[in-house]
Amino acid sequence: WTDGTAYTIPKNSWELGLFTASRYGISRNLELSARPLMFFLMPQAQLKVGWGEYSGFQLATEHGILYPTVFMRLVAREGTGGLISPEYTIPQMFAIYNRFLASYRPFRNAILSTHAGIAFSVRFGSLDPQSTIDLPVIYPRLAVFYNQPEFDVGIDFRGKFTPRFGWLFNVENFIVCGTPDNYFLENKGVMAYTSKKETLRVEAGYKLCFGRYPAGPQWHLLPVIDLVFGIGR
């Protein structure tokens, strides 16, 4: 399972996530990922390039693009489902993400990974700063369209208690330039069960979020649950 690490999945293999990104191994060192459930509302695609192992560290880079215009226009309304006031105009826009990852195995059944990335956005029109969606998880990933560049750094530590049961703990920091509301943190802790043939992974845990939103600092604690299916592993 390669999400969050510098490793890529084998060629012609699939990881199909219910809520997380789904992945496909194009070749031994290339991995393509996308989110099928959100693809028609907020298309996002990402390519991971594996660069091999150096001095015990597995290295990779990720390059992605995000197009949020359809989703933001859909929620720019009053009533149920409205997250943005309909008075604001949402222009055509997209963001480009680039990230460097390094993974190391401190123990036989554990992987420690770190990453650092930068994102830029391109807008074809003005975007009112009052049109933000001030919600955890969403706000940090759309902040680049209001202030740029945006940096993210984090650490991921995962391993196995037994061949079937494992754990994951990660921390991700988002730093947005050009605004005093510039720092966001996400901490996820998960317990996972993997089937014997690695065709299914079941995850359950928490996500703790802190952010400096326009309305002020806020903490949120959210449940995490996911099913990830493995094909051709």
Side-chain angles (χ1 to χ4, degrees):
W1 309 103
T2 63
D3 183 24
T5 75
Y7 295 93
T8 57
I9 62 176
K11 181 179 179 181
N12 297 328
S13 296
W14 293 82
E15 289 180 8
L16 304 177
L18 187 60
F19 299 111
T20 56
S22 295
R23 306 173 188 282
Y24 173 70
I26 300 174
S27 68
R28 187 171 64 89
N29 294 316
L30 287 178
E31 175 184 301
L32 180 66
S33 63
R35 297 178 181 270
L37 290 182
M38 287 293 293
F39 192 80
F40 295 101
L41 295 178
M42 192 186 301
Q44 181 179 12
Q46 186 168 272
L47 183 69
K48 182 191 291 187
V49 183
W51 296 103
E53 184 174 316
Y54 300 87
S55 301
F57 289 87
Q58 186 76 23
L59 306 180
T61 55
E62 289 181 337
H63 314 277
I65 187 168
L66 171 66
Y67 175 68
T69 302
V70 174
F71 170 76
M72 294 182 69
R73 287 179 176 177
L74 183 66
V75 300
R77 60 179 179 176
E78 296 180 354
T80 304
L83 300 176
I84 301 173
S85 173
E87 66 183 290
Y88 300 120
T89 299
I90 308 300
Q92 297 289 340
M93 54 189 180
F94 63 91
I96 297 173
Y97 297 83
N98 293 284
R99 175 183 285 182
F100 175 80
L101 303 97
S103 293
Y104 176 73
R105 293 184 180 270
F107 313 109
R108 179 181 176 183
N109 293 322
I111 301 175
L112 178 63
S113 302
T114 184
H115 72 260
I118 186 171
F120 296 93
S121 67
V122 177
R123 298 196 311 259
F124 299 94
S126 60
L127 183 63
D128 194 295
Q130 301 298 316
S131 64
T132 57
I133 301 175
D134 300 346
L135 294 175
V137 181
I138 296 177
Y139 186 97
R141 287 158 179 79
L142 297 182
V144 67
F145 294 101
Y146 299 88
N147 302 277
Q148 58 180 322
E150 180 179 23
F151 299 91
D152 69 278
V153 294
I155 190 168
D156 180 292
F157 194 33
R158 64 185 65 197
K160 294 182 178 181
F161 298 113
T162 70
R164 304 277 71 83
F165 290 92
W167 48 268
L168 179 151
F169 182 88
N170 65 30
V171 177
E172 188 162 14
N173 302 272
F174 298 88
I175 302 169
V176 186
C177 297
T179 174
D181 309 314
N182 64 346
Y183 177 69
F184 301 86
L185 176 145
E186 295 178 2
N187 161 227
K188 183 168 75 171
V190 166
M191 299 293 289
Y193 167 79
T194 303
S195 64
K196 186 175 182 179
K197 294 184 178 181
E198 294 192 346
T199 56
L200 174 67
R201 185 173 82 246
V202 182
E203 296 181 351
Y206 74 90
K207 176 170 279 193
L208 179 64
C209 304
F210 170 78
R212 292 179 177 172
Y213 301 89
Q218 297 181 38
W219 289 89
H220 297 88
L221 182 61
L222 308 173
V224 171
I225 187 168
D226 201 12
L227 300 176
V228 183
F229 299 91
I231 302 174
R233 297 177 61 83

